[in-house]
C-alpha cells in the first residue's frame, strides 16, 4: 500500500471520490464521507484500519477479500458504494448538520435514479443526521426511497469499538440474506 505523508493526506481534503454505482444494484453501500486516505487513493474505505472490506467477505457479500483498489469488482456482485457527504475530511465530526441534510437529499435523488434493491448506510449517526430520523437503530428501516428499501449498518471504521468484525459481519449477513430474497 502506498504511504502518504501528512502533507499529501492534507492535500486530499475536500477532494471528491467517484461513486462505484450502476443501475439496479442489489445493495448500494453508503459511507458517511470519504476520509483523507480514501481521497488520496481514490478508493473507498481505503484506510488500513477500516473493516469494510474484510466484513464484506466475512458476511458472504464477496467470495474473497477485496482490496480497496479492486472496488469496481463490486459491480459484478451487484454492489456499489457512495457517500452521504461527497467531500473528504479527516473526521466525520468536521461535517455540519447542513451538509448531512443536503447529503441525505442528494442521496435520496441518487437512489431514486439508480434504483438499488437496498440502500445500506454504514453508520447510524450519519443516517439519523441525513434523514432526520433521531430514533433509527441498526437494521432495516421503515423508510423507502422509491422502490429501494433502507438498512442501517454499523460503521466499519476502526474507531467504532462497539462492534467487532465478527458482529459487524453478522449484521451485514442479515442484509445479504434480505437482498437475496428480493
Amino acid at each position: 500500500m502506498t504511504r502518504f505523508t501528512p502533507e499529501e493526506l492534507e492535500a486530499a481534503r475536500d477532494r471528491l471520490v467517484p461513486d462505484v454505482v450502476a443501475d439496479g444494484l442489489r445493495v448500494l453501500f453508503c459511507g458517511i464521507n470519504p476520509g483523507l486516505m480514501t481521497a488520496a487513493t481514490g478508493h473507498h474505505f481505503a484506510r488500513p484500519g477500516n473493516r469494510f472490506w474484510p466484513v464484506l467477505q466475512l458476511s458472504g457479500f464477496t467470495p474473497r477479500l477485496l482490496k480497496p483498489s479492486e472496488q469496481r469488482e463490486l459491480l459484478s456482485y451487484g454492489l456499489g458504494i457512495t457517500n452521504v457527504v461527497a467531500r473528504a475530511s479527516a473526521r466525520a465530526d468536521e461535517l455540519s448538520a447542513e451538509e448531512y441534510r443536503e447529503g441525505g437529499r442528494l442521496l435520496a435523488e441518487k437512489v431514486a435514479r439508480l434504483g438499488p434493491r437496498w440502500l445500506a448506510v454504514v453508520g447510524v449517526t450519519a443516517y439519523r443526521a441525513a434523514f432526520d430520523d433521531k430514533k433509527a437503530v441498526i437494521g432495516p428501516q421503515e423508510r423507502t426511497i422509491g422502490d429501494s428499501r433502507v438498512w442501517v449498518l454499523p460503521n466499519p471504521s476502526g474507531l467504532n469499538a462497539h462492534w467487532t468484525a465478527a458482529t459487524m459481519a453478522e449484521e451485514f449477513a442479515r442484509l445479504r440474506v434480505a437482498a437475496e430474497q428480493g
Side-chain angles (χ1 to χ4, degrees):
M1 175 170 193
T2 305
R3 295 248 185 232
F4 293 94
T5 66
E7 295 78 20
E8 288 170 325
L9 289 174
E10 190 56 37
R13 183 178 295 278
D14 298 327
R15 196 175 289 170
L16 302 180
V17 178
D19 292 340
V20 176
V21 296
D23 290 337
L25 295 169
R26 281 189 310 137
V27 179
L28 177 58
F29 292 98
C30 181
I32 299 169
N33 77 310
L36 297 183
M37 182 70 72
T38 288
T41 63
H43 303 127
H44 293 272
F45 300 103
R47 187 167 196 77
N50 194 293
R51 299 170 289 180
F52 179 78
W53 298 103
V55 166
L56 274 189
Q57 180 196 14
L58 289 169
S59 64
F61 271 113
T62 61
R64 66 178 182 83
L65 177 59
L66 297 177
K67 297 175 191 156
S69 62
E70 298 174 302
Q71 64 187 8
R72 299 218 45 92
E73 191 173 316
L74 289 176
L75 297 173
S76 69
Y77 304 120
L79 308 174
I81 305 176
T82 190
N83 286 290
V84 173
V85 176
R87 79 170 179 94
S89 67
R91 297 179 320 279
D93 66 6
E94 295 175 23
L95 304 176
S96 70
E98 294 78 30
E99 283 179 290
Y100 276 113
R101 281 192 296 277
E102 178 65 5
R105 187 187 69 74
L106 294 172
L107 177 60
E109 288 177 3
K110 186 181 300 182
V111 168
R113 185 176 70 252
L114 294 172
R117 195 171 307 149
W118 286 91
L119 169 66
V121 179
V122 293
V124 69
T125 303
Y127 177 82
R128 289 172 180 163
F131 292 100
D132 195 32
D133 186 348
K134 305 298 181 236
K135 295 181 180 178
V137 295
I138 299 293
Q141 307 300 303
E142 291 296 319
R143 173 186 313 274
T144 58
I145 301 172
D147 292 333
S148 301
R149 300 274 322 271
V150 178
W151 196 294
V152 175
L153 292 168
N155 186 332
S157 166
L159 299 174
N160 184 3
H162 298 293
W163 290 80
T164 66
T167 57
M168 265 188 248
E170 290 172 9
E171 188 62 30
F172 275 59
R174 287 181 56 217
L175 168 59
R176 181 185 50 76
V177 169
E180 288 171 354
Q181 293 174 347

